[in-house]
Amino acid sequence: MPHPEPTPEDWRELLASWQYPDNFSGGTRRQRRQAKRRHRQDVRRRSADWVREERRRDPIRPTCALVGVVLVLAVGAGVRYLSTPASDAPAPPAAAPAAPGPQADDGNPVPATPTAAAPPEAVGTTDPEAVAVAAIRAYLARNPVQDGDHTASVHRAAPFMTRSLVRNLIASSDPAFGRLVSRGGISTVRTVTLKPAGNSLPVDTPLRIWRTVTATVDVAGYEDYSEDVTLNTEVVSTSTGWRVSRILGL
């Protein structure tokens, strides 16, 4: 006579008969892992024994086989979840808050570069002449080995430049950087002086000034030397302060 198909009460009785350990708090971590592994193996063995016995009594119908497989998988997952102490569960790493970067004239963050150094300290954007000095000082201080190309110094000077100037400098080549590479040099800016631009450039207005900036640059490389670099800079007033918008002489 065929064995009757298990009822929901039979399934609940079967589940209730499998008692899980209260905890695995005793012993070392290795001993706890071994105890959990032995318990899972025992659960799987008893599950297989029960299925074999049911097959012997009455061939399992396809629907019953599907239910049995799902039940065994669910019991295995439950044992793994219930038998894992909270102290052994790995905690998800906390995401570090991103530090705010420098902003350009439109208030958007300036693209960062892995080799960019911090901008000169204690330099704001309320004094247009100080902005011109800071931009040129940051742009002309270079270490080709660390920087990789001239765009690294563009990023260092970016907090004192308009976004359009930053984009133009990044898109353009810089022969001075190529000469520095060919000489194996590292440049540092010793001094920066500025004066009003000559009559060939527009006069100052409340929203724009032109300044001639002269930087004394020391180069250490195959041969140590110093040179004076003279540039004409246009500094404009923006919604977030003064920014260098054009550089003539690069």
Side-chain angles (χ1 to χ4, degrees):
M1 179 177 180
H3 187 71
E5 185 174 348
T7 65
E9 288 75 13
D10 295 330
W11 294 115
R12 285 194 290 268
E13 182 179 355
L14 175 65
L15 289 173
S17 66
W18 292 341
Q19 299 295 327
Y20 304 125
D22 292 336
N23 56 64
F24 292 103
S25 59
T28 64
R29 177 176 294 182
R30 181 178 180 183
Q31 291 172 336
R32 293 197 299 271
R33 287 200 301 265
Q34 291 175 345
K36 287 185 286 186
R37 182 170 61 253
R38 288 194 298 270
H39 183 71
R40 288 195 295 269
Q41 292 172 348
D42 183 59
V43 169
R44 286 194 292 267
R45 179 182 55 77
R46 285 187 289 166
S47 301
D49 292 344
W50 181 86
V51 171
R52 282 195 297 270
E53 178 63 20
E54 289 297 311
R55 283 179 175 174
R56 187 185 63 80
R57 293 180 181 179
D58 184 18
I60 297 181
R61 300 182 181 87
T63 55
C64 294
L66 179 59
V67 171
V69 171
V70 172
L71 177 63
V72 172
L73 293 176
V75 169
V79 170
R80 182 180 296 274
Y81 174 78
L82 294 175
S83 61
T84 302
S87 59
D88 290 344
Q103 294 185 342
D105 56 292
D106 56 4
N108 294 325
V110 174
T113 179
T115 58
E121 298 180 359
V123 176
T125 57
T126 58
D127 184 344
E129 292 189 341
V131 167
V133 170
I136 299 305
R137 180 181 291 276
Y139 184 73
L140 294 180
R142 296 164 168 176
N143 184 337
V145 174
Q146 293 182 0
D147 292 349
D149 56 37
H150 80 286
T151 62
S153 61
V154 177
H155 284 286
R156 287 194 287 269
F160 310 105
M161 297 178 175
T162 61
R163 289 189 68 86
S164 59
L165 178 59
V166 171
R167 286 193 296 266
N168 290 338
L169 291 176
I170 289 176
S172 304
S173 61
D174 187 344
F177 188 86
R179 290 194 300 270
L180 191 65
V181 172
S182 65
R183 298 170 182 175
I186 298 175
S187 63
T188 57
V189 179
R190 190 197 321 164
T191 61
V192 179
T193 60
L194 79 167
K195 63 181 180 180
N199 296 330
S200 61
L201 295 172
V203 298
D204 292 352
T205 71
L207 299 179
R208 182 188 64 187
I209 67 170
W210 280 90
R211 291 293 182 270
T212 298
V213 181
T214 300
T216 300
V217 180
D218 296 329
V219 178
Y222 302 141
E223 180 182 353
D224 296 346
Y225 63 93
S226 298
E227 61 181 356
D228 290 335
V229 179
T230 300
L231 304 168
N232 288 314
T233 60
E234 179 189 51
V235 191
V236 298
S237 178
T238 71
S239 60
T240 56
W242 289 86
R243 297 289 191 279
V244 174
S245 57
R246 281 195 287 177
I247 302 176
L248 305 181
L250 288 177

